[in-house]
Amino acid sequence: MTTHNPAAAFYASPAARGVAALLRGLHRLSPDLGSRAALSLFFTPVPTKFLARSRDVPRPWVQRQLPFEGGHISVWQRSDIGVGEPARPKVLLTHGWAGDAQQLRPLADTLAAAGLEPVLLDLPAHGRSSGWRSNLLQWVRALFAVTARFGPWDGVVAHSLGALAVSHALARGLPARRAALIALAPPPGQFLRWFAQAIGTDEGLAQRMRGHVEQREGVSLGLFEPAWLGERMVQPTLLVHDRGDLTAPLSGSETLLAGLGAGRLHVTVNLGHRRLLNDPVVMEQVLGHFLAATSAAPALRVV
């Protein structure tokens, strides 16, 4: 059976095919230089930062900047929460690759309306956080940095590659009581293979790229495999995944679920990889997951 390669669509345009041809030529000339050039491209998000930076964010959401690795990460909070009221359960929400925090704002507003305190995070090189390149290991460090300032968390919500970063952080002890992972991304080893296939090189490029990453970061990418993560995540975890997701196959969530001590999978249909973020039923599932431990859950209000 042929596996869909989500990177192939990106390299279908004439400009992208030209970039791929340059990378193939450089890789033939020098595999090491070709691998480094490929990694530079691989770690650069699709250029959506300009849109994220120019987008108006409505009140009561306000941005705060947290110093991080020579730059900053942007954190968003609601200014109407916390003044003259008891502390609310705090939930961190974050996005996936080439996304930004505002993709999760509708869900965050829903959580706020139900009595929770949502905190949105723009991961490095995304949204209004600084930087133009990033990687999964840096995302994990950013999660620990924002948690040191704003946590611990009663819940964490993450989408796609952000969900993979959150899973790894939880497996390493990120303090959170519950987790909701939406459209969990495949592990980085799979993405590297897809990337190499999409630009028309052999498996060797993916292996060399992986070697460079592991040597530089000092972490095996095998520690992002769903089977490894599931055995080490202790939080009750809700997984939400669309059956027809072409970017992140459902099998990744199923594999993670098999290793979880307390996990549940909600499968959607015809919502793809991103539309499920704004789906009322998905929002209800996430809210219910975080309110499951309370004796009287308030009625859902989708904002």
Side-chain angles (χ1 to χ4, degrees):
M1 181 176 65
T2 302
T3 302
H4 175 77
N5 183 345
F10 179 77
Y11 286 94
S13 69
R17 289 199 299 270
V19 171
L22 287 174
L23 286 175
R24 288 195 302 272
L26 184 58
H27 185 249
R28 285 194 295 269
L29 180 66
S30 170
D32 184 67
L33 286 177
S35 300
R36 294 179 185 276
L39 274 177
S40 181
L41 177 62
F42 185 76
F43 288 146
T44 302
V46 176
T48 55
K49 278 181 66 71
F50 292 111
L51 293 176
R53 287 176 173 175
S54 63
R55 184 187 303 131
D56 290 330
V57 179
R59 296 192 67 81
W61 288 99
V62 293
Q63 177 189 10
R64 307 186 191 283
Q65 293 184 351
L66 180 67
F68 178 73
E69 297 189 356
H72 73 269
I73 46 178
S74 291
V75 178
W76 302 84
Q77 295 177 289
R78 287 179 58 120
S79 60
D80 60 342
I81 292 178
V83 179
E85 64 174 324
R88 297 183 176 202
K90 192 176 291 186
V91 179
L92 175 68
L93 301 93
T94 195
H95 57 86
W97 192 256
D100 66 88
Q102 303 311 313
Q103 291 176 308
L104 288 101
R105 182 160 41 86
L107 174 56
D109 286 335
T110 296
L111 298 179
L116 307 178
E117 181 182 352
V119 177
L120 294 169
L121 171 63
D122 277 325
L123 287 160
H126 290 72
R128 296 192 186 177
S129 291
S130 62
W132 296 98
R133 293 191 182 95
S134 188
N135 61 61
L136 194 56
L137 283 306
Q138 187 183 46
W139 280 19
V140 172
R141 296 194 297 273
L143 289 168
F144 278 99
V146 75
T147 299
R149 172 64 179 82
F150 296 96
W153 310 107
D154 291 276
V156 288
V157 183
H159 177 239
S160 191
L161 197 68
L164 191 63
V166 162
S167 298
H168 183 82
L170 292 173
R172 289 177 51 191
L174 188 82
R177 293 177 60 194
R178 286 177 170 259
L181 308 177
I182 303 174
L184 178 72
Q190 179 64 69
F191 270 119
L192 288 170
R193 289 191 293 272
W194 281 337
F195 177 83
Q197 291 169 4
I199 65 174
T201 62
D202 57 20
E203 180 75 14
L205 175 62
Q207 293 174 354
R208 279 185 287 274
M209 290 172 69
R210 177 169 183 158
H212 282 305
V213 173
E214 292 181 334
Q215 182 179 30
R216 184 173 67 186
E217 298 292 341
V219 176
S220 169
L221 295 186
L223 304 188
F224 289 89
E225 294 290 338
W228 187 93
L229 295 170
E231 295 178 354
R232 291 162 176 81
M233 291 171 58
V234 299
Q235 295 80 4
T237 300
L238 169 68
L239 295 160
V240 180
H241 215 119
D242 192 79
R243 189 173 301 280
D245 191 330
L246 296 179
T247 300
L250 174 61
S251 58
S253 286
E254 292 173 332
T255 302
L256 181 63
L257 178 68
L260 292 173
R264 179 169 66 88
L265 174 61
H266 174 73
V267 179
T268 65
V269 179
N270 295 328
L271 291 179
H273 190 62
R274 292 179 184 258
R275 291 194 305 278
L276 75 180
L277 289 174
N278 296 316
D279 181 70
V281 175
V282 171
M283 293 185 191
E284 183 176 7
Q285 289 284 328
V286 173
L287 177 59
H289 178 63
F290 291 134
L291 297 178
T294 64
S295 58
L300 172 71
R301 180 162 71 94
V302 176
V303 179

